Amino acid sequence: MAFVILKPKRDPSLLRRHPWVFSGAMAKIRGKPDPGETVDVVSPRGTWLGRGAYSPRSQIRVRIWTFNEDEAVDEAFFRNRLERALASRRDLVRRQHLTGYRVVNAESDGLPGVIVDRYDDYLVCQFLAVGAETWKDLIVAQLKALIPVEGIFERSDSPVRDKEGLARRTGILAGKEPPETIAFQEGTHRFWVDVRQGHKTGFYLDQRENRLELYGLADGAEVLNCFSFSGGFSVAALKAGARHVTNVDMSAAALELSRRNLTLNDLDPGRVEHVEADVFKKLRYYRDAARRFDLIVLDPPKFADSRAQLSRASRGYKDINLLAIKLLRAGGYLFTFSCSGLMEPELFQKIVADAALDAGRDTQIVKRLNQAADHPTALNFPEGHYLKGLLCRVG
Ligand code: SAH
């Protein structure tokens, strides 16, 4: 097996079991591994540190599969990891009556670059690194054996594939072609998901627990759901007794799915307004029109893909949070999120605090919000925590 030798003093992160080896940490490579091939990683003194997938095109040159020297990376390895991921979610799925949930959460489930989401009778996968791509057929065969589904679909169309030198790909991997939209269940909520066109694998499963936070707060409320996508928060708000919900999104297709999600949940479409618009502009329009709301959800797309974009992203978050806080009635609630992994929770909180200050409104954090339990963060991989939110009460 080929092996990678690290530069002096570059072993601490691997000793702490962080699964990424950056190109700058590498001194030499022995052998000529193909992209995705399994390599050992050793210290300059020859101490064995880990075994992972070699990715010559990426800044993340090796993604570690195992920190156990005796563990081979083979069929049994992948079966064990997949079984472990499934077992860790079994109780959650049963307790919360889920037919849609994340089955495999990449690095945090010990499978770097592999995402698997289940939507009822279909699995939707993303293979986001060259190591994951190399083992794709085997992983798909094992998923098929472990989970009784009708079909397995691939949504490896994320731009992160480009950094790995992989072409983007979407299509059927096994079994039947999924229908245009699939209905699945989260407790008492039901949703349509478009696994071909929807973002990521089609739906924001990571917000499940945060949707439930609307219960007890939305009763009788006038709600503004910004960046509403297919209306996950709106369904929850209406079930929780909201008087009226306004969905704002710039995607007509997302709003259409949101309408269908109302019918699927037997909710009165008369209580919902769908607005196809740019949230930045619409919030200003509501400000100028002196519109007020009791509860606002701000769940924008990722504003920062790289550190260089962080200050621009910060201005974006500040802008929408400032406007939203001003639109809230006294005692109103703001659900505000950032799904940019690069945006640290402390910085995000500071931005929201600045927004409240500028709005001249006393604001409290009532609860800190995170990605749902089927999107765990391995302690050795803090980068896995990307979704953070604040539930604030505005005075
Ligand atoms: N809150 C959603 C997920 C939001 S995803 C949920 O819980 O399911 C981000 C959404 O923002 C997408 O639907 C995208 O169409 C929309 N979007 C992105 N930029 C926008 C903008 N400037 N104005 C309005 N919508 C925007």
Side-chain angles (χ1 to χ4, degrees), residues 5-21:
I5 306 167
L6 295 189
K7 288 181 184 160
K9 303 209 174 73
R10 297 303 290 263
D11 57 349
S13 84
L14 282 180
L15 291 170
R16 295 184 57 80
R17 300 194 162 206
H18 190 278
W20 292 351
V21 179

Side-chain angles (χ1 to χ4, degrees), residues 199 204 207 211 225-233 248-251 254 277-280 299-301:
H199 303 143
Y204 288 83
Q207 289 285 21
R211 285 188 267 280
N225 184 9
C226 297
F227 309 97
S228 55
F229 187 51
S230 55
F233 282 107
V248 184
D249 200 289
M250 63 184 192
S251 156
D278 179 345
V279 166
F280 289 83
D299 181 27

Side-chain angles (χ1 to χ4, degrees), residues 53-119:
Y54 182 65
S55 182
R57 298 276 290 274
S58 173
Q59 287 297 332
I60 305 172
R61 201 52 58 87
V62 181
R63 284 176 205 247
I64 301 295
W65 292 121
T66 178
F67 291 96
N68 172 2
E69 193 170 0
D70 300 329
E71 190 172 42
V73 179
D74 56 11
E75 205 172 328
F77 168 86
F78 286 100
R79 193 176 53 242
N80 286 339
R81 292 287 158 111
L82 293 172
E83 278 174 351
R84 197 173 79 180
L86 264 175
S88 70
R89 287 156 173 87
R90 212 157 272 147
D91 277 351
L92 177 85
V93 167
R94 200 179 307 136
R95 235 181 15 246
Q96 298 193 359
H97 305 283
L98 309 177
T99 65
Y101 55 93
R102 178 149 294 186
V103 181
V104 178
N105 194 34
E107 272 79 349
S108 290
D109 277 308
L111 289 169
V114 183
I115 302 271
V116 183
D117 287 341
R118 180 170 187 171
Y119 297 110

Side-chain angles (χ1 to χ4, degrees), residues 37-329:
E37 198 175 311
T38 304
V39 296
D40 277 338
V41 181
V42 300
S43 75
R45 290 177 165 180
T47 309
W48 190 91
L49 295 167
R51 182 169 291 140
Y54 182 65
S55 182
R57 298 276 290 274
S58 173
Q59 287 297 332
I60 305 172
R61 201 52 58 87
V62 181
R63 284 176 205 247
I64 301 295
W65 292 121
T66 178
F67 291 96
N68 172 2
E69 193 170 0
D70 300 329
E71 190 172 42
V73 179
D74 56 11
E75 205 172 328
F77 168 86
F78 286 100
R79 193 176 53 242
N80 286 339
R81 292 287 158 111
L82 293 172
E83 278 174 351
R84 197 173 79 180
L86 264 175
S88 70
R89 287 156 173 87
R90 212 157 272 147
D91 277 351
L92 177 85
V93 167
R94 200 179 307 136
R95 235 181 15 246
Q96 298 193 359
H97 305 283
L98 309 177
T99 65
Y101 55 93
R102 178 149 294 186
V103 181
V104 178
N105 194 34
E107 272 79 349
S108 290
D109 277 308
L111 289 169
V114 183
I115 302 271
V116 183
D117 287 341
R118 180 170 187 171
Y119 297 110
D120 202 49
D121 278 333
Y122 292 85
L123 297 180
V124 184
C125 307
Q126 294 185 304
F127 296 89
L128 301 175
V130 72
E133 178 73 20
T134 302
W135 293 95
K136 180 159 87 181
D137 292 351
L138 189 137
I139 291 170
V140 168
Q142 289 181 346
L143 285 170
K144 215 165 101 184
L146 286 169
I147 311 173
V149 288
E150 297 278 341
I152 305 180
F153 194 73
E154 177 170 22
R155 278 296 301 275
S156 299
D157 52 347
S158 162
V160 302
R161 294 260 299 188
D162 309 350
K163 298 185 189 167
E164 296 277 325
L166 296 167
R168 303 188 198 180
R169 185 187 178 276
T170 307
I172 191 101
L173 289 166
K176 281 200 218 157
E177 181 84 30
E180 233 163 78
T181 49
I182 302 169
F184 70 95
Q185 176 189 336
E186 279 185 355
T188 60
H189 300 163
R190 297 188 71 208
F191 295 111
W192 287 112
V193 54
D194 177 348
V195 300
R196 286 181 191 74
Q197 307 294 332
H199 303 143
K200 306 201 280 185
T201 66
F203 195 77
Y204 288 83
L205 295 168
D206 52 3
Q207 289 285 21
R208 179 189 319 111
E209 292 165 10
N210 302 327
R211 285 188 267 280
L212 299 181
E213 292 294 333
L214 286 158
Y215 287 83
L217 298 181
D219 196 15
E222 202 174 330
V223 175
L224 175 63
N225 184 9
C226 297
F227 309 97
S228 55
F229 187 51
S230 55
F233 282 107
S234 307
V235 166
L238 292 162
K239 290 227 176 204
R243 186 154 46 88
H244 188 267
V245 175
T246 306
N247 285 329
V248 184
D249 200 289
M250 63 184 192
S251 156
L255 292 171
E256 183 50 37
L257 210 49
S258 172
R259 283 191 193 92
R260 288 183 56 201
N261 279 330
L262 297 178
T263 328
L264 186 64
N265 287 279
D266 298 322
L267 292 164
D268 174 9
R271 282 157 71 199
V272 187
E273 184 191 357
H274 288 89
V275 180
E276 187 183 333
D278 179 345
V279 166
F280 289 83
K281 292 199 182 120
K282 201 70 199 176
L283 287 172
R284 286 185 165 72
Y285 169 83
Y286 289 142
R287 178 196 61 194
D288 297 343
R291 265 294 288 272
R292 292 292 175 267
F293 298 91
D294 301 304
L295 194 156
I296 299 180
V297 180
L298 288 180
D299 181 27
K302 197 152 84 172
F303 283 165
D305 272 321
S306 68
R307 282 192 193 283
Q309 295 169 357
L310 213 50
S311 69
R312 208 176 133 246
S314 301
R315 286 197 295 278
Y317 288 118
K318 166 90 183 282
D319 189 35
I320 53 174
N321 279 281
L322 171 60
L323 289 161
I325 290 170
K326 284 186 174 168
L327 294 181
L328 280 167
R329 294 195 177 98

